[in-house]
Amino acid sequence: MTERSADGATESREQRDRRIRALMERWTAERDGDDREPREPNDQLPREQPSRPPRGPRPTLTLDQIAAAAVGIADADGLDAVTMRRLAARLDVATMSLYRYVKNKEDVYALMLDAVAREITLPAPGSAGWRETLRRIATEMRAGQLRHPWLARLQSSTAFVIAPSVLAVLEAGLAALDAADITLDVDEMVAAFSTMTAYVQGRATAEVAQRETYRRFGWSSDDDMRAAAGPQLVPLLARGDYPTLAHYIVDGSNQDDAEWSFAFGLECILDGIAARLGL
Amino acid sequence: MTERSADGATESREQRDRRIRALMERWTAERDGDDREPREPNDQLPREQPSRPPRGPRPTLTLDQIAAAAVGIADADGLDAVTMRRLAARLDVATMSLYRYVKNKEDVYALMLDAVAREITLPAPGSAGWRETLRRIATEMRAGQLRHPWLARLQSSTAFVIAPSVLAVLEAGLAALDAADITLDVDEMVAAFSTMTAYVQGRATAEVAQRETYRRFGWSSDDDMRAAAGPQLVPLLARGDYPTLAHYIVDGSNQDDAEWSFAFGLECILDGIAARLGL
DNA sequence: CCTTGGTTGCGTACGTTGTACTCAATAGCG
DNA sequence: CGCTATTGAGTACAACGTACGCAACCAAGG
């Protein structure tokens, strides 16, 4: 119920929240007071004008429409099909009109990431224990990655986006680990949660890459893969350099059960976290 | 020392290896015998002609040279700087000459992946227990990802490459988990190893994305980041929607220690695997 | 020796991409 | 009714991957 703070004293959760709220308000006040440089890197995610200046014609598009259109194209024909021309065509505007809403294509990518992050439904706070909450978030994230196979590629080429949708996921995970009976400090909580998310992303990346390979070569089953990769693989295996791998290929049974593998690894991680809780 | 096989009997490791070797040889013989379709998807990784046809001038380049040049460009100026024109210029040949060695740009990417996979030094088999072996492989993989920040992006956009360099890493990990005192079946061994690799890839992706963000905005320390992201972040935090996250930002101390976070998660995973071994 | 034919290196050219620049049309304020 | 900030769109350009075709090369066959 209590936690050691930096100066060695203990504070209750209520005290902690009050302290942080006060600090945030002070920071906000300071920011409002100083009116500094135009702070350019600020607009990482493009925003609509909060209060539209009254002059001139109304914009015909919203950022949400652009994001939805881009996601739609990527879902249908892959990330490479998202070109400014095609995106504009889908929105029935001229190509260059898009640049009234986004600074460049990177902005479009940021909008896509935000849109997808908003898709994931978080478990209600306190509706389950930390373990079940983390499991649900992981499952939800994985589902998103599989629904949008281009996501992994986008996340690895686009910088981190500061958006409420993204922060909310992080907060949900941290809050679950911040429950009353848990003894992790903040750094460990973040490390534990980011371990889980890293795992989910890594798995999804690999899984999507495999699907992509199957699609490109027209394989529809694991047997197709074995038939096609065999001529390349068998000579290597036959030389005896990879005995354990050969054992897997010959005797393994869950080879294409991505769901099972994912769950296996996830439970490993949750067990590891549990061990650190002394539970 | 023994393991249940499919038919319920037990076989020693020696018996198993013999059985698999025999099977491989039979497969090889069958392949040689039937001389089937040109099996196009075979050449996933471009290869030099094993026995060069004697007619015509000698090639001036090797695939290794091409791979090294591409890796060099990507290391210096990022993956997008690897264009066919620039790669050719670096190799002092005309642009289109490259297409005598690779079918298309995808091939160049495959060569890069292979080259990087060959960089990693595996622990000698049996030189350490399964846990230490996996830890070393993970560390080595992470080092590669940080040495070549473009790797994560490439792995998430290029299909899996069948190359000895890649298979060797997999074999080393599986062999470590196949030690005498371990009770995992093959499927579990593969799931455990791929859990680790997925984690490493996910972490590296996030870490590289963060570095890239820092670089692009010219931040050189965490304080720079906080100064720049503050105006965007503080209003969100001040509304109280992310209390745990705010706690971390205010009170966390290991915020930029990627090494520590990586090790934390890795030990979690190893603990989880250990738990499945009944150790 | 000369001829032959497959192989290599390279120059040209085309279609597609992101986007800088420019200018006409729009619509609320004075 | 102008005035003026703002939007939508057309044109244009540099850079990209790469299809195509031709010249230079070089061992084998005569």
Side-chain angles (χ1 to χ4, degrees):
Chain A
M1 217 68 52
T2 60
E3 186 177 340
R4 287 211 155 269
S5 69
D7 59 359
T10 61
E11 67 177 351
S12 73
R13 196 133 312 176
E14 291 73 24
Q15 285 173 329
R16 190 187 83 193
D17 282 355
R18 255 198 307 279
R19 173 172 59 81
I20 291 170
R21 281 293 274 279
L23 184 59
M24 288 294 156
E25 274 157 29
R26 189 146 54 78
W27 281 1
T28 308
E30 282 172 15
R31 293 268 163 217
D32 288 349
D34 61 8
D35 259 346
R36 305 192 306 178
E37 82 273 22
R39 56 214 141 87
E40 196 196 323
N42 210 5
D43 44 348
Q44 214 181 97
L45 187 72
R47 305 227 155 277
E48 333 239 1
Q49 258 82 354
S51 62
R52 209 185 76 77
R55 299 289 250 283
R58 264 120 228 287
T60 50
L61 297 178
T62 66
L63 292 180
D64 283 342
Q65 284 171 19
I66 296 176
V71 167
I73 293 172
D75 284 345
D77 295 324
L79 190 57
D80 289 333
V82 180
T83 69
M84 297 305 273
R85 286 170 227 269
R86 176 151 174 201
L87 183 57
R90 179 161 173 143
L91 290 163
D92 261 323
V93 296
T95 306
M96 292 312 293
S97 304
L98 291 176
Y99 286 90
R100 293 285 168 195
Y101 302 89
V102 296
K103 193 161 51 48
N104 47 35
K105 200 175 181 183
E106 280 282 296
D107 269 7
V108 175
Y109 289 150
L111 288 175
M112 293 173 75
L113 286 175
D114 178 53
V116 170
R118 246 177 302 152
E119 273 179 13
I120 96 165
T121 61
L122 296 168
S127 66
W130 68 269
R131 190 165 177 135
E132 177 62 17
T133 301
L134 255 57
R135 193 169 11 226
R136 282 191 207 164
I137 294 178
T139 306
E140 199 73 21
M141 288 179 69
R142 181 176 119 100
Q145 296 265 11
L146 298 184
R147 216 172 17 240
H148 308 295
W150 39 270
L151 229 190
R153 220 181 96 187
L154 204 48
Q155 279 166 331
S156 63
S157 48
T158 307
F160 185 71
V161 175
I162 298 181
S165 52
V166 178
L167 298 184
V169 178
L170 179 51
E171 171 65 25
L174 293 184
L177 287 168
D178 193 31
D181 57 344
I182 291 188
T183 58
L184 296 179
D185 65 50
V186 248
D187 292 315
E188 289 170 325
M189 280 165 32
V190 171
F193 186 73
S194 60
T195 294
M196 186 275 276
T197 59
Y199 168 70
V200 174
Q201 282 219 33
R203 274 279 191 208
T205 301
E207 195 168 339
V208 166
Q210 187 199 310
R211 287 193 187 191
E212 182 59 16
T213 307
Y214 273 51
R215 196 193 55 71
R216 274 206 347 218
F217 290 146
W219 305 336
S220 56
S221 74
D222 246 31
D223 288 335
D224 287 351
M225 185 272 282
R226 261 187 283 272
Q232 200 173 5
L233 207 50
V234 167
L236 291 172
L237 296 182
R239 295 183 35 221
D241 291 335
Y242 315 105
T244 327
L245 180 56
H247 178 205
Y248 167 65
I249 289 174
V250 172
D251 297 327
S253 59
N254 282 80
Q255 306 197 29
D256 49 358
D257 196 339
E259 195 103 28
W260 177 85
S261 299
F262 174 77
F264 179 94
L266 182 57
E267 297 306 319
C268 278
I269 289 175
L270 295 176
D271 282 351
I273 295 173
R276 260 146 203 80
L277 302 176
L279 297 182
Chain B
M1 216 69 51
T2 60
E3 187 178 341
R4 286 214 154 267
S5 69
D7 61 358
T10 60
E11 65 176 351
S12 73
R13 196 133 312 174
E14 291 72 25
Q15 286 173 328
R16 190 186 83 194
D17 283 355
R18 255 198 307 279
R19 171 173 58 83
I20 292 170
R21 280 292 275 278
L23 185 58
M24 289 294 157
E25 273 158 30
R26 188 146 54 79
W27 281 359
T28 308
E30 282 173 12
R31 294 268 163 218
D32 287 350
D34 60 9
D35 259 345
R36 304 192 307 180
E37 84 272 21
R39 52 214 143 91
E40 196 196 323
N42 211 4
D43 43 348
Q44 216 180 97
L45 189 72
R47 303 228 156 276
E48 332 236 3
Q49 258 81 352
S51 62
R52 212 184 75 77
R55 298 290 251 281
R58 264 121 230 283
T60 51
L61 297 178
T62 66
L63 292 180
D64 283 342
Q65 284 172 18
I66 295 177
V71 168
I73 294 172
D75 284 345
D77 295 323
L79 190 58
D80 289 334
V82 181
T83 68
M84 297 306 273
R85 287 171 226 267
R86 178 153 173 199
L87 182 57
R90 179 160 174 143
L91 290 163
D92 261 322
V93 296
T95 306
M96 292 312 291
S97 304
L98 292 176
Y99 286 90
R100 293 285 168 193
Y101 302 87
V102 297
K103 194 161 49 49
N104 47 35
K105 200 175 179 183
E106 281 282 296
D107 269 6
V108 175
Y109 289 149
L111 287 176
M112 294 171 75
L113 287 175
D114 178 51
V116 170
R118 245 176 304 151
E119 274 179 13
I120 95 165
T121 62
L122 296 168
S127 66
W130 68 269
R131 189 163 179 140
E132 177 62 16
T133 301
L134 256 56
R135 190 162 23 219
R136 282 190 209 165
I137 295 177
T139 306
E140 200 73 22
M141 289 178 68
R142 181 177 117 100
Q145 296 265 10
L146 298 185
R147 213 167 25 235
H148 308 295
W150 40 268
L151 230 188
R153 219 181 98 188
L154 204 49
Q155 279 166 330
S156 64
S157 48
T158 307
F160 185 72
V161 175
I162 298 181
S165 53
V166 179
L167 298 184
V169 178
L170 179 52
E171 172 65 26
L174 293 185
L177 287 168
D178 194 30
D181 56 343
I182 291 188
T183 57
L184 296 178
D185 65 49
V186 248
D187 293 315
E188 289 170 324
M189 280 165 31
V190 171
F193 186 73
S194 59
T195 293
M196 185 274 275
T197 58
Y199 168 70
V200 174
Q201 283 220 32
R203 275 277 191 210
T205 302
E207 197 169 336
V208 166
Q210 187 199 308
R211 287 192 186 192
E212 182 59 16
T213 308
Y214 273 50
R215 196 193 57 72
R216 272 204 350 215
F217 291 146
W219 305 335
S220 57
S221 74
D222 246 31
D223 289 334
D224 287 351
M225 185 273 283
R226 261 187 283 272
Q232 201 174 5
L233 207 50
V234 167
L236 290 171
L237 296 182
R239 294 184 34 221
D241 290 336
Y242 315 105
T244 326
L245 180 57
H247 178 206
Y248 167 65
I249 288 175
V250 172
D251 298 326
S253 59
N254 281 82
Q255 306 197 29
D256 50 357
D257 194 340
E259 196 102 27
W260 178 84
S261 298
F262 174 77
F264 179 95
L266 181 57
E267 296 307 318
C268 277
I269 289 175
L270 295 176
D271 281 351
I273 295 173
R276 260 148 203 79
L277 302 177
L279 295 183

